[in-house]
Amino acid sequence: GQNIDQPTEMTATEGAIVQINCTYQTSGFNGLFWYQQHAGEAPTFLSYNVLDGLEEKGRFSSFLSRSKGYSYLLLKELQMKDSASYLCAVTRYSTLTFGKGTMLLVSP
Amino acid sequence: GAVVSQHPSWVICKSGTSVKIECRSLDFQATTMFWYRQFPKQSLMLMATSNEGSKATYEQGVEKDKFLINHASLTLSTLTVTSAHPEDSSFYICSAPGLAGGPSTDTQYFGPGTRLTVL
């Protein structure tokens, strides 16, 4: 089976840095995705990690430790538009299993 | 990048009717597409894997006779909710695995979703 845990909600202020953690326990593992989802919209791709380490892409970075079953998404220089749900998803043979998502609220 | 469309974007229907949702890959071919369902404040739950030229694979607990899936071509998959009931009201999203140019062939590109409300 698969079990993916991430915090339900987080709050931060504009311009700050926030780290969203994700832990997983899976029977198989190809890689880990982070998606952003605004209310009422489909998820959009943010990052993909298959090897241990940090992947940086602009204001967003994602880290993976396969041995610890742990990942985090780091958002820098937060903007109001970053208020959304952030979904951690584990992939196995092209099948994605999603965590419940972390609702991030960015305030002025 | 890979673009996936869905139609309709929202639909309201009466209980007992059937609703068809289309998922199209616009600029690439997809032998496999995925159908998800998302209830308010819940995560996406995989319902089934749609396979071009063969039967769909359903996740445990999903009724195959209620949620009919047809992968008619390499760019089109349809989900038909038969005899819809209020508890079927949800956000239905399809996705297709990406191809070269994306970070991974496992990367899935999502359609914009279909909001189904059953009265």
Side-chain angles (χ1 to χ4, degrees):
Chain A
Q2 315 229 33
N3 187 38
I4 302 173
D5 288 317
Q6 48 182 134
T8 305
E9 293 182 348
M10 298 184 71
T11 58
T13 55
E14 202 172 8
I17 300 173
V18 69
Q19 177 174 313
I20 303 174
N21 296 323
C22 172
T23 58
Y24 62 90
Q25 296 170 319
T26 63
S27 56
F29 180 85
N30 285 3
L32 188 143
F33 287 89
W34 284 95
Y35 282 86
Q36 180 192 61
Q37 186 180 27
H38 286 98
E41 299 180 10
T44 56
F45 170 80
L46 289 179
S47 68
Y48 175 64
N49 293 72
V50 63
L51 300 175
D52 287 358
L54 186 68
E55 294 280 344
E56 297 187 78
K57 186 187 296 183
R59 295 190 298 117
F60 293 12
S61 303
S62 57
F63 171 84
L64 175 66
S65 170
R66 295 174 68 122
S67 61
K68 295 182 179 179
Y70 168 70
S71 173
Y72 67 73
L73 179 68
L74 192 71
L75 295 80
K76 304 177 184 177
E77 302 171 13
L78 281 174
Q79 301 175 8
M80 298 295 289
K81 66 178 182 180
D82 296 330
S83 292
S85 182
Y86 291 85
L87 306 173
C88 170
V90 171
T91 183
R92 176 173 177 265
Y93 305 127
S94 294
T95 298
L96 275 178
T97 301
F98 284 88
K100 292 186 177 181
T102 299
M103 180 62 68
L104 174 66
L105 177 62
V106 180
S107 58
Chain B
V3 178
V4 177
S5 71
Q6 267 183 256
H7 178 80
S9 55
W10 61 269
V11 57
I12 301 173
C13 69
K14 293 182 179 180
S15 184
T17 61
S18 294
V19 175
K20 179 186 285 188
I21 303 170
E22 293 185 348
C23 178
R24 294 181 185 272
S25 55
L26 296 185
D27 52 358
F28 66 104
Q29 294 181 332
T31 57
T32 301
M33 292 184 177
F34 300 93
W35 286 97
Y36 295 84
R37 180 168 54 181
Q38 186 176 35
F39 293 106
K41 297 188 177 181
Q42 299 289 317
S43 188
L44 281 78
M45 296 300 295
L46 180 65
M47 298 177 65
T49 302
S50 174
N51 304 298
E52 192 271 336
S54 64
K55 292 182 179 180
T57 305
Y58 290 82
E59 295 300 301
Q60 192 173 7
V62 178
E63 300 175 56
K64 60 181 65 177
D65 294 331
K66 180 170 182 62
F67 299 99
L68 302 179
I69 291 173
N70 181 26
H71 202 132
S73 73
L74 289 172
T75 60
L76 174 63
S77 175
T78 60
L79 168 68
T80 301
V81 183
T82 63
S83 186
H85 291 284
E87 57 265 31
D88 298 323
S89 297
S90 186
F91 192 48
Y92 292 85
I93 308 175
C94 70
S95 72
L99 299 176
S104 162
T105 54
D106 284 345
T107 303
Q108 291 191 27
Y109 296 92
F110 288 85
T114 298
R115 176 76 58 191
L116 171 63
T117 302
V118 184
L119 303 177

